[in-house]
Amino acid sequence: MVSPDPDGDEGSDFDPEAPVEVPLDGNLDLHLFHPRDVKDVVTEYLWACRQKGVLDVRIIHGKGTGALRRTVQALLPKLPEVESFRSASEADGGWGATWVRLRALSPGESEG
């Protein structure tokens, strides 16, 4: 992953269009992404988590105006790998985050 210098200055090799490597730890913070990319980022992240067996995912979209939350929660029912979703509890981010439960891969289901 390429990132800016720790001093806050962008290094000469920093490319804002370069892919960002996101850890598959079950937490996706959408603050790191441009709103136009959110649908693709969420779809790809959930797919990758499911492939790795990470079935409980917290998507952090922030509170703000609620636009990202609405985008995320409108997308989730359309994804066949999503078993269920709900707003997070206050301890987990409240209405600034959404918990997603993914369907486990079935024994014959391809991982690629």
Side-chain angles (χ1 to χ4, degrees):
M1 179 174 140
V2 178
S3 61
D5 291 341
D7 298 329
D9 297 328
E10 291 188 6
S12 60
D13 60 348
F14 178 72
D15 179 1
E17 297 299 318
V20 176
E21 185 176 329
V22 179
L24 296 177
D25 63 359
N27 287 291
L28 175 60
D29 189 345
L30 295 179
H31 291 101
L32 305 172
F33 301 95
H34 194 282
R36 71 172 175 248
D37 298 327
V38 163
K39 287 181 182 178
D40 289 338
V41 168
V42 169
T43 301
E44 290 176 25
Y45 187 81
L46 293 178
W47 180 88
C49 281
R50 187 170 179 242
Q51 300 305 309
K52 295 290 185 186
V54 178
L55 302 180
D56 291 306
V57 178
R58 182 174 62 151
I59 300 174
I60 303 164
H61 39 67
K63 294 179 180 177
T65 64
L68 276 181
R69 177 179 49 84
R70 286 190 297 276
T71 297
V72 168
Q73 292 187 353
L75 171 66
L76 294 174
K78 298 174 184 175
L79 302 176
E81 64 269 22
V82 173
E83 184 174 289
S84 63
F85 66 93
R86 62 180 171 78
S87 293
S89 68
E90 280 305 311
D92 293 335
W95 52 278
T98 298
W99 276 106
V100 180
R101 176 68 182 174
L102 301 173
R103 298 181 197 286
L105 289 173
S106 58
E109 197 169 356
S110 170
E111 292 188 12

